[in-house]
Amino acid sequence: MQNLTQTAQETATTRRGFRPSRPEVSALGLALAVSLFIMAAHNFTFWHRAWIVFDGNLRQVAGWGIAVWMLTVLMLVLFGFRWFLKPMAAFLLLLSAVTSYYMDSLGIVIDREMIQNAMLTTMTESKHLITVNFLTHILIWGLLPAAAVFWVKVRPTTFLSNLWRWALTVTMVLAVFATALFSDFKAYSAVARERKDVLASYQPGAAIGGASRYAKMMLKAKDVVVAPLGTDARKGPLITAAPKPVLTVFFVGETARAQNFGLNGYARPTTPQLAARDVVNFPDATSCGTSTAVSVPCMMSNLTRDGYSYDSGIRQENLTDVLRHADIDVLWWDNNTGDQGTAGRAADIRRMTAADDPAACAQGECTDAVFLKPLAETLPKLTRDTVLFIHMIGSHGPAYYLRYPPEAEVFTPACRTAEFADCTTDEIINAYDNSIRFTDQIIAQTIDTLAAQSNVIPAVFFLSDHGESLGEDGLYLHAAPYFIAPETQTHVPMIMWLSPAYQQAMKVDQSCLKSRAKETVTQDNVFHTILGMMNVLTTVRQDSLDLAGSCRG
Ligand SMILES: [Zn+2]
């Protein structure tokens, strides 16, 4: 820091004798130096990920880095007016030292969930995290720089001049930020939106963002009264009389679109394994939204697409709660972005990690193969009627190539970067189709595992949350406003597999179901169909929306 401050003052000799001179800097100089130190010393993971996501393009990494650096400067100058500057700088240095230790040394992302964990963690659990290495790291990279901040002098100015400089500084920083951002806005906005792991590794922004999102969530959830739903739910005579526990595995799919699903007539064999099994395919299924955050809570809700909104969704119980009311166990296993606020009350939530199957997570992110081992281990232990929700990562873009292991790359050459500009449309589609084919493999393997065991009476339901644009009309990815969304984003694959034991116990006529499957269906059917599949009797279940309703004997 001393090297960065050139304006050492010569007035350090006092009446009491010689004392080392305290360098004097302007407020902006201090903010720039502290933020530069944070960007350089506390952001290894951030730079590493940026380097990978921009494929080593120095110009893009530099523009991105400058924009994020300016965010850090802005935090300091916005909240660091006059006497607040030094405490703010010390706070950010200490916070970044703590979070960078977890991020860079242990690979722990400090996000909303992590803040939530920290708030709920007991002292007994957290004390194991405070090690000698941790304390040394905080001392060298947090406390010493913070002490240096208090040691240097900030050049005194009058209040008015300070105010004027402050406004000018904020404007300048914003201008540099905007210039850097718009030097390649397309690439940067795509990374900010689709590669949340890059910004999630930015210190101290990620932790501050996580804390404020957590506070916002808590404030919002505080005044929400969740209205009960289907409290009259109970098991019907079929499931009660079933000789073994009934298990429905509900694959909540991700970004799979109907057009690229082999079972729906796609020219490529993207679903060879499901085609070889006796599944019921619904070729004309439509999603509720074009993003996970809309579609997942919407399909869990008994509200139809016309009546659904985020707010109305969180204000009442959903499918998971009604299953619970009927004394059915609910499990939610997640390899995606969580249950979207749907399962917390009723389900036992399990976040899949590399610990579940290191081989399935060898590329740094877990493919959906991570579910298979835990499933095989759980099946023999099930003793109660259960719905297991499996929230897949499916075909989540833009890094489609990370959704399947290299040996599952059938359609080549496949785009192996998240930077679409570096791939041809064919390469992007190849990678996407490989991810669909891998989803086919995961569901088929699950069906085989279920068919081979004798502990439960199994059924499988698969439905994608929304589709994807793969360059049609220049559009990529998803989340287009629904009213202008192309069919590729709203037409989704959906299948059912009912084991012979299930068909018998639950008296379902599969040929009837297969002819019914040709009709137009939507995510509005999910709530009623799953309740029907589990033979749950309740006044909130509408027979007309239960797809198997008219095929049950
Ligand atoms: Zn999604």
Side-chain angles (χ1 to χ4, degrees), residues 253-256 290-293 295-296 336-337 391-393 396 464-467 478:
E254 178 61 67
T255 315
T290 60
S291 66
T292 311
S295 284
V296 172
N336 198 313
T337 49
H391 193 195
M392 314 173 84
I393 194 68
H396 197 281
S464 181
D465 60 347
H466 51 76
H478 54 265

Side-chain angles (χ1 to χ4, degrees), residues 244 277 375-376 379-380 444-456 458 497 499-500:
K244 292 172 194 169
R277 282 155 188 82
L375 180 72
L379 283 176
Q445 273 181 262
T446 301
I447 289 174
D448 293 351
T449 305
L450 292 169
Q453 58 75 48
S454 56
N455 190 41
V456 294
W497 172 79
S499 65

Side-chain angles (χ1 to χ4, degrees), residues 1 4-5 28-38 69:
M1 199 91 63
L4 291 162
T5 58
L28 177 61
L30 184 66
L32 286 174
V34 167
S35 57
L36 201 60
F37 179 83
I38 289 174
W69 175 31

Side-chain angles (χ1 to χ4, degrees), residues 300-419:
M300 291 298 166
S301 156
N302 74 326
L303 299 164
T304 58
R305 203 184 88 73
D306 295 333
Y308 175 80
S309 68
Y310 171 75
D311 203 53
S312 57
I314 59 167
R315 280 173 197 282
Q316 63 164 39
E317 293 185 342
N318 60 40
L319 174 61
T320 61
D321 302 287
V322 182
L323 289 166
R324 263 285 12 131
H325 294 321
D327 196 31
I328 289 169
D329 280 1
V330 184
L331 308 175
W332 183 286
W333 292 1
D334 210 292
N335 189 30
N336 198 313
T337 49
D339 67 311
Q340 309 293 317
T342 60
R345 291 177 300 270
D348 185 355
I349 297 179
R350 174 172 177 175
R351 170 91 214 159
M352 312 317 283
T353 67
D356 292 304
D357 186 353
C361 309
Q363 300 177 103
E365 293 179 37
C366 299
T367 70
D368 288 324
V370 74
F371 291 115
L372 298 175
K373 247 173 83 177
L375 180 72
E377 286 161 10
T378 302
L379 283 176
K381 295 181 211 151
L382 286 182
T383 55
R384 287 166 46 81
D385 298 320
T386 302
V387 175
L388 164 60
F389 292 90
I390 290 190
H391 193 195
M392 314 173 84
I393 194 68
S395 301
H396 197 281
Y400 306 124
Y401 69 102
L402 289 177
R403 305 298 157 238
Y404 56 88
E407 62 272 20
E409 194 161 275
V410 174
F411 307 111
T412 55
C415 179
R416 296 197 66 85
T417 161
E419 181 72 86

